[in-house]
Amino acid sequence: GFFAANEGASDDAITPAIVRAWCFGPLMNGAEPSGSTVDARLSCLSSFFRYAISQGAVARNPCAAVLRSARKVTTPPALTVW
């Protein structure tokens, strides 16, 4: 996971580039993550950093500078648009 890979790093050492590399990094089976997986990873990590800021543990959220993946919106197959 993210914290195991960055163990011992200070909050200043965690950059948006590191966050982006982890969010867009391969899954455990080596496959490329879907857009929803990237967004879930980023959301989870960002929530952690927001909490850490509220507790005074870190000064900034490096996730704030990372753009979410572009996902196309699709209509579910059971619905039609007239």
Side-chain angles (χ1 to χ4, degrees), residues 3 19 39-55 58 61-64 68:
F3 294 104
V19 170
D39 287 347
R41 287 177 172 182
L42 184 57
S43 179
C44 180
L45 199 54
S46 185
S47 293
F48 171 80
F49 276 103
R50 280 195 311 269
Y51 173 76
I53 289 168
S54 75
Q55 298 301 304
V58 298
N61 184 347
C63 302
R68 296 199 180 269

Side-chain angles (χ1 to χ4, degrees), residues 9-78:
S10 70
D11 64 311
D12 291 335
I14 305 296
T15 64
I18 291 171
V19 170
R20 187 177 201 301
W22 181 77
C23 289
F24 284 85
L27 302 176
M28 292 185 73
N29 66 2
E32 185 177 319
S34 68
S36 59
T37 298
V38 170
D39 287 347
R41 287 177 172 182
L42 184 57
S43 179
C44 180
L45 199 54
S46 185
S47 293
F48 171 80
F49 276 103
R50 280 195 311 269
Y51 173 76
I53 289 168
S54 75
Q55 298 301 304
V58 298
R60 62 181 181 73
N61 184 347
C63 302
V66 179
L67 296 177
R68 296 199 180 269
S69 67
R71 287 188 287 160
K72 64 180 183 178
V73 178
T74 59
T75 304

